[in-house]
Amino acid sequence: MALSAAELLTTPLNDLHIELGARMVPFAGYSMPVQYPMGVMGEHLHTRTKAGLFDVSHMGQLLLSGPDAATALETLMPVDVVDLPVGKQRYGLLLNETGGILDDLMFVNRGDDLFVVANGACKHSDIAHINAHIGQRCTVKPLPNQALLALQGPMAIDVLKALDPSVANLVFMTGARATLGGIEVYLTRSGYTGEDGFEISLPARHATALARLILSNPCVAPIGLGARNSLRLEAGLCLYGNDITTTTTPVEANLNWAMQKVRRTGGARAGGFLGSDVVLAQLDGTSPITRKRVGLVATERVPVRDHTVLQAPNGTTIGMVTSGLLAPTVNKAIAIGYVGIEHAAIGTTVHAVVRGKLVAMTVCAMPFTPSNYFRG
């Protein structure tokens, strides 16, 4: 059941969004900006060429601490947590007993704790899940009074470096404390757009002041959920709830890169996580998958939206689109979807059924546009 406007939560930047002319929509239980007066296309292109500021304070932030925290977290994910160096960030996948994905998240080894960022729609169930399984082995501390901002785009580094030169020491998927405009923050050089950029965690009471400071730089514009979605799709990144769910495994989702060798069959700490029997058998091929997540590019400029049926050239239904749109940077109709494994090879032609018309699409590698992460 959809929440009424009065029941929706707001982020610390709510008043600023309205002041900036945002169109607000319900999202993950929050009232969030979907676009500003610049419009989705303008915001998308601004982020690709300059720097865009996103409010992602609806997302979950928590700390896991204690001497057993990393080992305990490995019982919930097929990911190397124990060997992650201090200051490094990694992509993680919370799994259920059948190998389905409960959520995808980011975590950083900060030395004294693991700083975790989870999807907004999943954060309460994630925290309950983590507490139920490893709450006796480590301290699980939600951070509901922290805001989260993301500054993305090729000029993001120049904007933040002017406030604290130390941020220039970071490379992609690393994190550190910094002071921006006199406000102490923890930031990571990461994001959800495929661009170089940062995610900034700070006390909620300082969020508006920092957002105004960053927006005072003429290179920066506020960006809403609409452009956030088109940017992430061009980057080939998954949207939880669409492209990955509790009924898809990491191998079906083509996320093998996120499962390090040490956790796979034959690795030093193989298995031992929820769903490991299913996932490891799929990884080593003893239980082959029957479907796979792929990237798709249409041969004509016809939007191919979520839930569009995919057919083989002989008319057999072979899968479905999970995310799709006309991509502003790529200038083509692109999509992410699942197809039968025999149709998943790069270069394969499939047909999307759009309002009864067949639209040819080609299976392609992702990302759809080159990533611009700063790796040093």
Side-chain angles (χ1 to χ4, degrees), residues 94-115:
L94 279 184
L95 303 185
N96 61 25
E97 289 80 357
T98 58
I101 301 171
L102 294 171
D103 196 10
D104 60 340
L105 46 79
M106 304 291 285
F107 62 97
V108 186
N109 179 2
R110 304 201 306 182
D112 294 333
D113 54 44
L114 296 168
F115 173 57

Side-chain angles (χ1 to χ4, degrees), residues 3 7-10 25-32 58-60 119-124 225 228:
L3 296 175
E7 294 174 306
L8 290 172
L9 300 172
T10 56
V25 298
F27 183 78
Y30 284 79
S31 179
M32 297 290 290
H58 64 295
M59 299 185 75
N119 280 298
C122 303
K123 61 184 178 184
H124 296 300
L225 293 172
R228 184 171 185 255

Side-chain angles (χ1 to χ4, degrees), residues 141-158:
K141 181 182 179 183
L143 301 173
N145 296 318
Q146 286 289 106
L148 192 67
L149 307 180
L151 185 65
Q152 298 282 292
M155 295 184 179
I157 178 60
D158 298 321

Side-chain angles (χ1 to χ4, degrees), residues 18-35:
I18 294 170
E19 177 185 322
L20 294 172
R23 182 161 71 85
M24 307 298 286
V25 298
F27 183 78
Y30 284 79
S31 179
M32 297 290 290
V34 67
Q35 67 178 77

Side-chain angles (χ1 to χ4, degrees), residues 349-362:
T349 297
V350 304
H351 290 144
V353 185
V354 181
R355 296 188 296 279
K357 177 187 175 185
L358 297 182
V359 177
M361 305 192 83
T362 303

Side-chain angles (χ1 to χ4, degrees), residues 187-271:
L187 52 76
T188 57
R189 198 159 187 170
S190 59
Y192 198 46
T193 62
E195 295 296 330
D196 183 23
F198 299 83
E199 294 196 337
I200 308 163
S201 175
L202 75 163
R205 64 184 184 278
H206 297 311
T208 298
L210 182 58
R212 288 188 186 279
L213 178 62
I214 292 173
L215 287 167
S216 70
N217 188 309
C219 297
V220 182
I223 310 296
L225 293 172
R228 184 171 185 255
N229 187 53
S230 57
L231 289 158
R232 75 90 195 162
L233 181 48
E234 284 187 338
L237 301 174
C238 291
L239 175 64
Y240 189 82
N242 280 44
D243 307 310
I244 49 177
T245 70
T246 56
T247 62
T248 53
T249 70
V251 183
E252 292 172 326
N254 203 10
L255 295 172
N256 296 11
W257 57 268
M259 299 177 282
Q260 291 73 35
K261 290 182 180 179
V262 71
R263 304 304 313 281
R264 301 186 184 194
T265 303
R269 297 193 309 282

